[in-house]
Amino acid sequence: MAVNSSRIDEDQKEVLKKDTMLRMFKYLLDYKKEIVIVLFVMAGTITISLLAPLIMEYAINVCVAQKDMKGLLRLGAGAVVLYLLFLMGTKIRMRLMAEVSNKVLLNIREELYRHIQTLGFGFFDSRPTGKILARIIGDVNSLKDVLSDSVTQLIPDLLTVIFVAVIMLVKNYRLAMAALLTLPILAVGMFFIETTVHRRWQVYRKKTSNLNAYVHEDLSGIRIIQSFAAEPETKKMFHDLVNQHYRSFIDAVLVADAFGPLVEITWGLGGFLLYFIGIRIVGVEQIGIGTFLAFSTYIAMFWSPIRNLANFYNKLTTNISAAERIFDIIDTESEIMDQAGAEDLQEIKGEVVFENVSFAYSDEPDRLILNNVSFSVKPGETIALVGPTGAGKTTIVNLISRFYEATKGSIKIDGHEVKDATLKSLRSQMGIMTQDNFLFSGTIRDNIRYGRLDASEEEVVEAAKAVSAHDFIMKLEQGYDTVISERGAGLSIGQRQLLAFARTMVSRPGILILDEATSSIDTHTELLVQKGIDALLKGRTSFIIAHRLSTIRKADRIFVIDQGNIMESGSHEELLNLQGAYYKLYRSQFSQMEKD
């Protein structure tokens, strides 16, 4: 299976930027009412801003020319009222769009998170957790300004440019053409900048993801790093990743920052052409002073939103790569999902049947992990799986829980194909314990109850007692209310494992899977918990992957797995009498333990 790391840039499929933008802006349609209000308010503020130069023109050409002071005062009072309305309208639309954009970000983040939870183990096995976090947190946050400005800036500035251009053409088309003559230069320059900078922002996002993944991995493994005194090596790697991140940002910004000078240069040329043509070609005497001043104001009103639009385009180019990364995850199809017509699996009795089951990872279809495996397990039977590392033991139990999909063959529980059952009804009846059972930050009670959220206080305590966890819990300062940090820091490895046993016990599973579940427990603790393990095994079908002799010898049957198949099957005594693969494995791994 291909695996990405914190040192390797992620692969990402290419999509049209237009499609990404349209998809991103579609989230705004969920808030049509708020956006209609914003657009209505914007129409008022744009109208007021467009009237300002005309008011100035009338004041100079009429009121001042005719020395109409009363008319000038009335005009000034009206202008003040319009200005106050403009400020009020601007504040209203900015506040509304801030609320809308934050709600849209919430929706995108929740949609992304919900989808990630549906993805199979293959997705998580193939990339560092930090890279997934980078998309949920950083990439989503970067869309905020784009979503907000798309309504509060893009629409009003675009309308302003159009209306100003129309007014200028109506009032004096020659002056208008002079002012607009540099627009083609701006368009061509923006095109060349955008095509270059988009690729560079994509690289920057990938370097950000690499850095985030490395920091997450480094902090998660800090005990290993310190125990091997590897701080200098990790510091050097961090320095290299930070430098890559820094250089990618500089490379992108150097090109992106060309937007501003490009607009300023074309604006300056447009202003020069306006005055040159107006004074030298048309002649000042043919244009009223008020009209010329109004035109000067309009050209500022024209190029100011052009600059804003260029900045928005720059911002969009900067952050569209984040949207691409978000939708890349959302568009990742889950390999494991409820099939059409899937039905809830009723209470499991525990019969498990494999019929000619083969499995290979999707990116390595020719390398079979399991090859034509068949077996039948009766309800309540305990099966031990033994064999060398990589033989396929964990793959078998993962297929039972449908964490992976069989490449070929049939897997049935109580006569029902697992792929025809809903995932929730299947997995909620599975009790799965591994060597490294994850504990969540919170109280001990909450961690045990995670196995069944509606478990009563009595059931929680009963489960803890059954696996010999109750005594050590009660010795803690706050008992079951003791708060533990992520992964159970502060508890011994054995104590964490006992809590995981209690969590599994309270879930009352129909099928129990123990994958090296006792490997982290010392011999003394195992003796304490063995009674709890026996209680867990009693009356339910169980699959045990273990190297502990005490656990394996009690199994009803032992499957010796090697080269993706079941090489031998039978009880402990039967397999020893065969003196085959299990006998050799037993002699090499368990003989010393038996002497002890």
Side-chain angles (χ1 to χ4, degrees):
M1 177 171 52
V3 178
N4 184 259
S5 75
S6 59
R7 300 162 184 79
I8 303 174
D9 292 345
E10 296 168 281
D11 291 329
Q12 188 175 317
K13 60 184 178 183
E14 292 293 328
V15 294
L16 293 175
K17 292 188 286 293
K18 173 179 67 68
D19 294 339
T20 301
M21 288 188 288
L22 291 175
R23 184 173 179 180
M24 180 172 59
F25 292 142
K26 278 183 180 179
Y27 286 90
L28 294 170
L29 297 179
D30 293 333
Y31 302 93
K32 297 185 184 72
K33 179 181 177 181
E34 291 86 347
I35 291 177
V36 167
I37 294 174
V38 170
L39 293 175
F40 179 77
V41 173
M42 281 196 306
T45 56
I46 292 172
T47 302
I48 293 172
S49 64
L50 293 174
L51 287 175
L54 297 177
I55 293 173
M56 181 182 65
E57 179 185 23
Y58 182 83
I60 295 173
N61 287 351
V62 178
C63 296
V64 173
Q66 298 178 4
K67 298 180 180 180
D68 182 5
M69 295 305 296
K70 289 183 179 180
L72 191 61
L73 289 172
R74 285 195 298 270
L75 204 61
V80 170
V81 172
L82 289 176
Y83 180 69
L84 292 174
L85 290 174
F86 178 84
L87 290 179
M88 186 184 301
T90 301
K91 185 175 181 180
I92 290 172
R93 68 181 174 85
M94 294 298 290
R95 180 174 179 178
L96 270 176
M97 275 313 301
E99 292 178 359
V100 169
S101 60
N102 279 295
K103 289 178 180 177
V104 169
L105 289 187
L106 178 64
N107 293 341
I108 293 175
R109 184 173 283 119
E110 287 185 341
E111 179 183 350
L112 178 60
Y113 183 73
R114 283 197 304 269
H115 182 71
I116 286 174
Q117 287 193 310
T118 68
L119 298 176
F121 281 3
F123 173 83
F124 300 98
D125 293 343
S126 63
R127 69 202 71 205
T129 303
K131 293 196 175 186
I132 302 173
L133 290 175
R135 303 204 189 195
I136 298 175
I137 306 300
D139 289 340
V140 173
N141 285 343
S142 65
L143 301 182
K144 180 178 180 180
D145 290 341
V146 173
L147 291 167
S148 178
D149 291 348
S150 65
V151 176
T152 60
Q153 189 177 91
L154 176 63
I155 295 176
D157 285 338
L158 193 59
L159 292 177
T160 299
V161 167
I162 294 171
F163 290 146
V164 168
V166 170
I167 292 173
M168 291 168 67
L169 288 168
V170 169
K171 293 190 73 64
N172 191 308
Y173 77 92
R174 286 179 292 183
L175 291 180
M177 292 304 295
L180 304 177
L181 202 58
T182 55
L183 278 180
I185 300 174
L186 176 65
V188 172
M190 288 181 65
F191 172 77
F192 280 109
I193 292 173
E194 188 276 334
T195 53
T196 303
V197 79
H198 178 66
R199 294 285 183 185
R200 298 192 179 194
W201 282 122
Q202 284 183 324
V203 172
Y204 167 72
R205 294 287 174 191
K206 292 177 180 180
K207 299 303 181 185
T208 302
S209 183
N210 290 348
L211 181 59
N212 195 81
Y214 182 76
V215 171
H216 180 273
E217 183 181 272
D218 191 66
L219 296 179
S220 298
I222 192 65
R223 287 177 173 80
I224 303 299
I225 292 170
Q226 291 183 351
S227 65
F228 285 97
E231 291 90 344
E233 289 78 6
T234 57
K235 182 179 179 181
K236 181 180 181 300
M237 178 57 67
F238 179 76
H239 177 74
D240 291 342
L241 291 174
V242 167
N243 277 339
Q244 292 178 27
H245 182 260
Y246 167 77
R247 288 195 298 270
S248 66
F249 179 75
I250 294 299
D251 288 344
V253 168
L254 284 175
V255 179
D257 283 353
F259 275 106
L262 176 64
V263 174
E264 297 296 335
I265 291 171
T266 50
W267 184 348
L269 286 174
F272 170 77
L273 291 173
L274 169 69
Y275 289 111
F276 178 79
I277 293 174
I279 296 172
R280 297 295 298 274
I281 299 177
V282 179
V284 180
E285 64 279 357
Q286 296 185 29
I287 306 173
I289 295 176
T291 302
F292 208 100
L293 289 175
F295 239 93
S296 299
T297 305
Y298 274 126
I299 195 165
M301 290 181 63
F302 178 82
W303 280 101
S304 181
I306 286 288
R307 179 175 57 191
N308 293 339
L309 289 172
N311 289 335
F312 174 78
Y313 188 64
N314 187 17
K315 191 180 298 182
L316 184 63
T317 303
T318 302
N319 294 300
I320 196 69
S321 56
E324 290 171 348
R325 286 164 51 82
I326 292 168
F327 296 139
D328 180 60
I329 293 271
I330 292 177
D331 292 339
T332 300
E333 293 186 5
S334 175
E335 297 179 356
I336 310 296
M337 62 179 67
D338 287 341
Q339 297 196 8
E343 298 181 355
D344 287 344
L345 195 63
Q346 301 303 311
E347 185 175 349
I348 289 177
K349 295 178 181 178
E351 181 189 36
V352 179
V353 177
F354 272 48
E355 296 179 355
N356 304 315
V357 174
S358 297
F359 174 78
Y361 291 108
S362 57
D363 57 346
E364 296 178 297
D366 296 330
R367 190 172 75 88
L368 291 177
I369 308 300
L370 294 180
N371 185 16
N372 206 35
V373 173
S374 297
F375 62 82
S376 178
V377 177
K378 299 176 182 178
E381 197 172 7
T382 297
I383 304 297
L385 305 177
V386 301
T389 300
K393 305 184 295 295
T394 299
T395 301
I396 288 176
V397 295
N398 280 337
L399 290 175
I400 296 172
S401 304
R402 207 179 162 215
F403 288 127
Y404 295 98
E405 201 81 89
T407 305
K408 187 178 69 173
S410 170
I411 302 172
K412 295 180 180 179
I413 294 179
D414 294 346
H416 301 283
E417 288 275 1
V418 293
K419 62 183 180 181
D420 293 332
T422 60
L423 290 174
K424 183 176 181 179
S425 67
L426 172 67
R427 293 176 183 171
S428 64
Q429 299 190 68
M430 298 282 176
I432 303 170
M433 283 195 59
T434 63
Q435 180 178 357
D436 182 25
N437 273 285
F438 191 92
L439 295 178
F440 297 91
S441 56
T443 66
I444 286 179
R445 177 185 290 101
D446 291 339
N447 270 277
I448 295 176
R449 189 173 279 153
Y450 200 85
R452 184 162 54 85
L453 297 178
D454 61 349
S456 66
E457 179 70 17
E458 291 74 17
E459 289 173 321
V460 169
V461 174
E462 182 183 346
K465 287 181 176 178
V467 297
S468 303
H470 178 74
D471 290 342
F472 94 79
I473 292 174
M474 295 307 297
K475 291 178 182 177
L476 298 175
E477 187 174 349
Q478 296 181 351
Y480 285 86
D481 292 317
T482 300
V483 177
I484 58 177
S485 60
E486 181 183 333
R487 297 185 180 275
L491 299 177
S492 69
I493 294 177
Q495 288 173 332
R496 294 177 213 166
Q497 207 73 358
L498 291 177
L499 290 182
F501 270 109
R503 181 170 61 192
T504 303
M505 174 67 81
V506 83
S507 69
R508 297 186 298 204
I511 294 177
L512 179 67
I513 294 172
L514 304 180
D515 189 351
E516 300 287 1
T518 60
S519 61
S520 300
I521 299 177
D522 57 54
T523 305
H524 174 70
T525 305
E526 185 185 11
L527 292 175
L528 292 175
V529 81
Q530 191 61 53
K531 183 179 179 181
I533 294 176
D534 293 341
L536 273 172
L537 297 177
K538 187 177 180 180
R540 49 177 60 96
T541 303
S542 304
F543 292 85
I544 303 172
I545 301 173
H547 292 97
R548 292 279 177 114
L549 178 62
S550 56
T551 306
I552 293 175
R553 291 183 67 171
K554 292 182 179 180
D556 296 309
R557 279 187 292 164
I558 300 170
F559 292 168
V560 181
I561 313 296
D562 197 7
Q563 300 178 9
N565 215 321
I566 299 176
M567 309 301 289
E568 294 178 358
S569 173
S571 67
H572 173 70
E573 288 76 13
E574 289 171 346
L575 293 181
L576 285 181
N577 291 333
L578 283 177
Q579 295 192 4
Y582 178 77
Y583 177 80
K584 294 177 182 178
L585 189 67
Y586 170 77
R587 295 291 300 174
S588 63
Q589 295 187 24
F590 300 145
S591 58
Q592 186 61 44
M593 292 177 58
E594 193 172 49
K595 291 177 182 178
D596 294 342

